[in-house]
């Protein structure tokens, strides 16, 4: 998918990462819905960035990652392909790592932007 050249760098990075994550969906599903999913993600990402900056985007990522694991597994099950246990563990592991990184980052940003009380 082509991205707007005027996207903020954090948004462009998020879009590239999301495009990579779409590769886990079954091929047929990805070809039919992938471009639409990428466009909706880009729109949501831009809106989150404009409304709340980096913390807003990180909150979006938390929601995306939760839905991502559920929907990838669901699409593979609906397709009728049995996802091997090792593939499921690998995908789940990466999703947990990304979720943990996102959570820690959001917390660190929240702490930095919180007003100091004396």
């Amino acid at each position: 998918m082509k991205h707007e050249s005027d996207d903020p760098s954090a948004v462009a990075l998020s879009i590239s990462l999301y495009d990579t994550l779409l590769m886990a969906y079954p091929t047929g599903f990805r070809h039919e819905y992938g471009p639409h999913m990428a466009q909706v993600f880009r729109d949501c990402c831009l809106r989150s960035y404009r409304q709340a900056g980096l913390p807003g985007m990180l909150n979006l990522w938390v929601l995306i990652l939760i839905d991502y694991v559920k929907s990838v597994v669901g699409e593979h099950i609906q397709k009728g392909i049995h996802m091997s246990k090792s593939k499921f563990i690998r995908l789940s592991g990466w999703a947990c790592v990304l979720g943990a990184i996102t959570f820690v980052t959001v917390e660190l940003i929240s702490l930095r932007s919180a007003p100091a009380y004396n």
Side-chain angles (χ1 to χ4, degrees):
M1 176 182 177
K2 291 192 175 194
H3 308 296
E4 299 295 322
S5 60
D6 59 346
D7 287 345
S9 59
V11 172
L13 177 64
S14 288
I15 293 168
S16 295
L17 179 58
Y18 187 77
D19 285 344
T20 302
L21 292 176
L22 288 176
M23 298 303 291
Y25 284 95
T27 304
F29 180 89
R30 190 173 63 246
H31 287 291
E32 186 170 349
Y33 299 107
H36 303 291
M37 293 171 70
Q39 182 62 48
V40 169
F41 176 78
R42 179 180 177 276
D43 294 345
C44 290
C45 202
L46 283 169
R47 184 176 354 106
S48 295
Y49 185 80
R50 288 179 185 140
Q51 290 177 350
L54 192 56
M57 281 184 47
L58 293 174
N59 287 333
L60 174 66
W61 268 108
V62 170
L63 297 173
I64 291 295
L65 291 173
I66 291 168
D67 180 67
Y68 174 76
V69 172
K70 178 182 147 194
S71 63
V72 166
V73 171
E75 287 305 319
H76 279 283
I77 290 171
Q78 277 189 350
K79 185 180 175 201
I81 293 178
H82 300 288
M83 185 181 295
S84 68
K85 186 176 182 180
S86 63
K87 185 174 182 179
F88 176 77
I89 291 170
R90 186 175 56 240
L91 287 174
S92 298
W94 280 112
C96 288
V97 168
L98 288 171
I101 290 169
T102 303
F103 176 78
V104 168
T105 305
V106 167
E107 289 300 313
L108 289 174
I109 290 171
S110 296
L111 289 173
R112 290 179 116 185
S113 62
Y117 296 102
N118 291 326

